[in-house]
Amino acid sequence: MPKTFPTHPVPCAAGIGLRSIHIAEMLSRRPAAGWLEVHAENYMGQSAAVEALEKLREVYPLSVHGVGLSLGSASGLDRAHLERLRLVCERFQPAIVSEHLAWSVADGAYLNDLLPLRYDDEALAIVSGNIGRLQDTLKRQVFIENLSAYLAFAESSMTEAEFLSELVNRTGCGLLLDVNNVHVSASNLDYDALAFIDALPAEAIGEIHLAGHAVNEVDGDVILIDDHGSRVPPAVWSLYAHALRRIGPRPTLIEWDTDVPPLDVLLGEAMWADMLARSIAFDERPEEPPVAVPDSRFETMKLPGRDDTSGIRFPALAAIAAVKAACGKCAADHCRRDGHVLH
């Protein structure tokens, strides 16, 4: 009988990918983190890591991310691998399950890469069938992730965004928007990253990934490599901001798989993602009429984004005191990331 965990839905906040070198520290510190994501293939056996994840699952919302199912395989899904994935989901009861739009199996051999598909009707039928079987087996919706690409098939009859949109229509799957992958692919294949995001069905996007990438130069050409080995760069933050303005806040993951830094670096990247999301939500809140404070002791100030003719009197010290009183748990000399005001 599988263990029953507390219900922890994944919030519209930033989480981190759980890596083996951080497990002991996560168990001892229990730091504030929006949620955790693990690669399914790392938890398909019996190990100390599996037992540790069970303990962390008591505390944190969890997402399971598959990397080896090979949804693009014309021969169908590997039954044994699919069953192992089902058992992982049954054991840990994740709030989200995701996989890649890719293939990685040929003639029974697993390739150490996620390879792109030809985007046409034949491939669409194959992938739709595989996703249908996956969702039927797991008895849940699965999010499908866009790929980082270094080449494209000349025979493709549709774009990747069109392909993903049609998968949503045919299978009812959700989408995992990897913003770093969009930037890498758009740069390597010379297409418009903003247009790619705008072409996806916003309501289907249930999760976002952020990561860093490597910049290589080959024969005078710049090639971006999706290595998940550095901080999120400015171009990816900019794309993330565009996505948030278009689709609204979503659970967002900081991925870091190579040259993995100390845990606090990952938590810091997650903090930046949360701050950006909250800033955008604040900027896009509905306008409210300014309220004048009739007290001549306070200097008249202009609020950004308001009509320049409508100055208000703003008692700054009183406002800070009111915020602290409302927040209660916050102190003036530190900030908290658990939903309270950032000082």
Side-chain angles (χ1 to χ4, degrees):
M1 188 74 176
K3 181 178 180 179
T4 300
F5 292 101
T7 300
H8 288 316
V10 173
C12 286
I16 61 172
L18 181 65
R19 300 298 173 254
S20 59
I21 66 171
H22 297 147
I23 289 177
E25 188 176 0
M26 288 292 299
L27 286 170
S28 62
R29 280 179 54 190
R30 304 291 174 90
W35 51 287
L36 303 178
E37 184 165 278
V38 298
H39 289 163
E41 286 73 12
N42 292 335
Y43 296 88
M44 288 181 170
Q46 188 63 40
S47 66
V50 170
E51 295 173 4
L53 184 59
E54 285 190 330
K55 295 176 183 177
L56 291 171
R57 176 65 182 84
E58 295 275 1
V59 180
Y60 297 99
L62 181 67
S63 170
V64 165
H65 188 49
V67 297
L69 200 54
S70 193
L71 290 175
S73 293
S75 58
L77 302 182
D78 181 281
R79 293 183 180 181
H81 192 89
L82 180 57
E83 176 61 13
R84 289 191 291 267
L85 177 60
R86 187 191 69 79
L87 291 175
V88 167
C89 293
E90 182 180 85
R91 181 168 194 167
F92 296 108
Q93 302 156 37
I96 293 175
V97 177
S98 56
E99 247 293 354
H100 297 83
L101 178 62
W103 65 276
S104 55
V105 179
D107 296 329
Y110 278 81
L111 309 174
N112 190 28
D113 210 338
L114 297 167
L115 301 173
L117 307 172
R118 190 180 67 229
Y119 301 125
D120 60 14
D121 290 333
E122 182 180 5
L124 184 60
I126 291 169
V127 178
S128 295
N130 287 340
I131 291 175
R133 183 179 175 193
L134 170 61
Q135 294 186 142
D136 288 345
T137 299
L138 300 185
K139 296 181 172 56
R140 63 158 72 218
Q141 184 188 49
V142 175
F143 295 165
I144 306 303
E145 179 183 347
N146 57 290
L147 200 63
S148 56
Y150 311 96
L151 55 85
F153 288 91
E155 296 84 0
S156 290
S157 58
M158 61 184 81
T159 66
E160 183 184 10
E162 291 169 339
F163 193 93
L164 286 164
S165 299
E166 190 56 33
L167 282 178
V168 170
N169 292 334
R170 292 194 182 193
T171 69
C173 70
L175 297 180
L176 192 171
L177 172 60
D178 191 311
V179 176
N180 181 62
N181 287 357
V182 174
H183 177 67
V184 167
S185 298
S187 177
N188 291 339
L189 303 182
D190 193 25
Y191 64 75
D192 187 335
L194 297 177
F196 179 97
I197 293 174
D198 291 345
L200 297 174
E203 68 282 355
I205 299 172
E207 182 183 339
I208 294 176
H209 277 186
L210 299 174
H213 55 264
V215 180
N216 291 359
E217 186 171 333
V218 180
D219 296 330
D221 291 327
V222 174
I223 305 296
L224 304 188
I225 306 297
D226 179 34
D227 66 347
H228 297 176
S230 56
R231 293 180 184 271
V232 180
V236 176
W237 284 124
S238 180
L239 274 182
Y240 179 53
H242 176 82
L244 291 178
R245 291 188 180 98
R246 179 173 178 264
I247 69 174
R250 294 291 191 275
T252 297
L253 183 82
I254 301 297
E255 287 190 296
W256 205 314
D257 297 314
T258 61
D259 296 325
V260 179
L263 177 60
D264 283 338
V265 174
L266 291 185
L267 295 172
E269 291 289 277
M271 180 193 72
W272 285 118
D274 280 337
M275 291 178 67
L276 178 58
R278 291 175 185 177
S279 174
I280 290 171
F282 182 82
D283 288 343
E284 297 193 349
R285 73 199 188 285
E287 286 263 333
E288 296 180 1
V291 178
V293 180
D295 191 330
S296 59
R297 292 176 300 168
F298 300 113
E299 185 177 345
T300 298
M301 298 177 64
K302 303 287 188 180
L303 289 183
R306 306 292 184 181
D307 184 347
D308 285 346
T309 63
S310 60
I312 70 166
R313 301 180 188 277
F314 187 76
L317 296 178
I320 292 173
V323 166
K324 287 183 179 178
C327 189
K329 292 174 64 178
C330 292
D333 59 350
H334 77 292
C335 70
R336 295 286 300 273
R337 296 183 51 253
D338 54 1
H340 296 281
V341 175
L342 294 171
H343 299 295

